[in-house]
Amino acid sequence: TGGAQALLGTSSLGAAGLVLGHIGGLTICCLLLAGPLHRTLAGTHPRSLAALAATARRFGHFPAYVVPGQGINAVCLQVTPAALVGIFGATSGGLYSFAFQLIGAPLSVVTQAVSQTMLVIVSHAHRQGGQMDQVNGALRKALLSLILLAIPALVALMVAPSLFALVFGEAWRESGELLRLMIPMVLAQLLITPFHGLIDVLGRQDMHARREI
């Protein structure tokens, strides 16, 4: 989605390209996921109402933990662009959103790859009765890899204004400057986001809200 927005947003379509890029990116994601989802569901058998009711009773308290955390996350994502638009105008809000979407694409690829790897390792260890030595070793390796990856990312973010001006044109330099101000947030997301899913694997949904705070 972020890549499509960056591509269309810098074209002659302008602001409309950002909207079309977002819609197009989501559409492509849905189409790519439709095939695997259909194949997965085709191999499953319908469960009885009693089994579904038992599952609902077992996990019924999860939404009470997850919804507040997701609400906090949604508010945090929207409050910065809203504040920029209210204080500095729509142009600043658009420049920030462009920078956020542009950095979000590679950041999402890295964090999801690490997250999926960690979910497999932790899920296997959890089913085997909690082999925490294996889990701790995998966590340390993953965190070290992310720290090493953060070093070149930090250098690129420091020169983001010049890179934006070179690639997208001088008019987008301010967007790079805003991205440089986002360095602490980007690094925090890079180092923390890949491990969010471990909360669900370990059955600690009560930590969702505290994690978002």
Side-chain angles (χ1 to χ4, degrees), residues 175-213:
S175 187
E177 293 173 353
L178 290 171
L179 182 57
R180 186 164 58 184
L181 294 175
M182 294 160 56
I183 286 177
M185 181 192 72
V186 172
L187 293 180
Q189 286 187 337
L190 177 63
L191 298 176
I192 298 174
T193 302
F195 307 109
H196 282 183
L198 304 185
I199 293 176
D200 296 318
V201 175
L202 299 175
R204 291 301 309 273
Q205 282 76 12
D206 56 300
M207 297 181 64
H208 271 289
R210 281 179 282 176
R211 178 199 69 190
E212 294 297 342
I213 293 174

Side-chain angles (χ1 to χ4, degrees), residues 87-103:
I87 298 173
F88 301 106
T91 300
S92 294
L95 291 171
Y96 168 83
S97 297
F98 178 74
F100 187 84
Q101 291 292 336
L102 195 64
I103 193 62

Side-chain angles (χ1 to χ4, degrees), residues 22-38:
H22 182 70
I23 297 173
L26 291 177
T27 302
I28 292 173
C29 290
C30 290
L31 293 175
L32 291 175
L33 291 173
L37 179 61
H38 179 267

Side-chain angles (χ1 to χ4, degrees), residues 135-152:
V135 173
N136 291 335
L139 285 172
R140 285 193 293 268
K141 290 180 180 179
L143 186 58
L144 178 60
S145 299
L146 290 172
I147 291 174
L148 293 176
L149 183 61
I151 296 174

